[in-house]
Amino acid sequence: MSTNGLSTNGLSTNGLSTNGFSTWFNQDTASAEVVMKYLVRCALPAGQTRTFTNSVTGVTYTWTGSVGLAPGWGSGLAATALEQQVVSACLAAHVNKYGVSIPFSVLGRTAQGAAIAYTASELSTFSEKEACFFGNLFDGSGIYAANDQNSLNHRESTSRGCGLSSNVPNAECSPLLHVGTCSSLCERAYDGGEAKPYYAKCTYNGKEYRPITTRIRPQDLYKCGDGVCQFTESCGTGNSYDNCQADCGTCSP
């Protein structure tokens, strides 16, 4: 399990592919610090940390590992293509256009093929299939998301924002691009003949990627008409999430 809160501009940074880390970091220290928080969380396992002392400001930052997707890179080796892919996918999964922190389930395999640990309780709590994320931010291939269930209808919205999509792509999630459904682009992972709750690989534009699959809690899917004006909803005179009179009332003149 993890929590999100990375802004979409964290996916636009050139810092992932440059050797001038200090220069990149000091261009926008606040944003870079958040990117590194999630980068280390994705790449390194729990119990490991990475520390950076800014030679310009003298401030020391410490970032903590969690998911452990790229152990080779974390040990100091050059990132392999698979490590680049799974870390990119993990970063994309942590994006939240609303800037809020929402827990979600992170599923998939590391660059070395080991399954990310999960429990039956986790799958039960995070019972709503959400999305699959894939791509490569390091080599310019792009970063993509696809729905792991039907698209949201006009009354529905989600606190995650950039994972489970409506029928209309959301420009606020750029450069993360919605490209359809996981079932049409990806192959389910199996272990000993048993289907796993995540995908083994996704293919887009003729290129194969190792994805991250996510699940969310039912309470993080909202519907206009449920009597609560959620932060994803707006006042109005209709019944769509962005024009929801039933929950948010009519807009003041």
Side-chain angles (χ1 to χ4, degrees):
M1 293 178 291
S2 193
T3 56
N4 57 233
L6 179 65
S7 66
T8 54
N9 64 6
L11 299 179
S12 302
T13 177
N14 293 321
L16 297 179
S17 57
T18 180
N19 292 323
F21 177 83
S22 181
T23 300
W24 164 75
F25 193 90
N26 282 297
Q27 288 176 349
D28 185 346
T29 55
S31 295
E33 199 280 327
V34 175
V35 172
M36 289 305 301
K37 170 185 173 182
Y38 288 102
L39 182 68
V40 173
R41 177 184 295 185
C42 290
L44 299 183
Q48 290 193 21
T49 61
R50 291 295 181 269
T51 299
F52 168 65
T53 299
N54 193 329
S55 60
V56 176
T57 64
V59 176
T60 296
Y61 302 87
T62 299
W63 303 296
T64 303
S66 176
V67 188
L69 296 174
W73 189 32
S75 70
L77 300 175
T80 65
L82 279 177
E83 287 181 322
Q84 292 174 7
Q85 290 177 12
V86 290
V87 169
S88 296
C90 183
L91 284 175
H94 282 83
V95 163
N96 188 298
K97 71 173 184 176
Y98 299 106
V100 297
S101 185
I102 303 294
F104 67 107
S105 173
V106 178
L107 302 167
R109 290 176 176 162
T110 70
Q112 294 182 331
I116 300 171
Y118 63 89
T119 64
S121 176
E122 178 178 338
L123 297 183
S124 176
T125 300
F126 298 88
S127 57
E128 290 283 347
K129 295 179 181 179
E130 187 195 34
C132 51
F133 298 86
F134 54 93
N136 193 327
L137 291 166
F138 295 75
D139 67 1
S141 296
I143 191 71
Y144 309 101
N147 287 0
D148 202 18
Q149 60 165 284
N150 293 332
S151 295
L152 301 180
N153 63 45
H154 72 282
R155 300 180 65 182
E156 297 174 316
S157 58
T158 170
S159 53
R160 290 260 294 152
C162 290
L164 184 59
S165 173
S166 65
N167 288 316
V168 180
N170 197 319
E172 295 177 5
C173 294
S174 177
L176 183 61
L177 178 65
H178 279 273
V179 291
T181 63
C182 302
S183 59
S184 66
L185 297 167
C186 309
E187 293 184 13
R188 177 71 60 182
Y190 285 85
D191 185 5
E194 177 188 357
K196 310 307 290 185
Y198 54 86
Y199 295 92
K201 61 181 180 180
C202 299
T203 303
Y204 185 69
N205 281 341
K207 189 168 183 177
E208 187 177 295
Y209 301 95
R210 181 163 295 179
I212 290 294
T213 307
T214 56
R215 296 163 68 104
I216 57 177
R217 303 174 302 181
Q219 59 263 41
D220 293 320
L221 285 176
Y222 309 138
K223 181 177 289 187
C224 177
D226 62 12
V228 179
C229 185
Q230 304 287 358
F231 64 89
T232 59
E233 298 176 330
S234 304
C235 60
T237 57
N239 64 357
S240 62
Y241 77 93
D242 57 352
N243 185 26
C244 184
Q245 182 177 11
D247 293 352
C248 302
T250 56
C251 299
S252 301

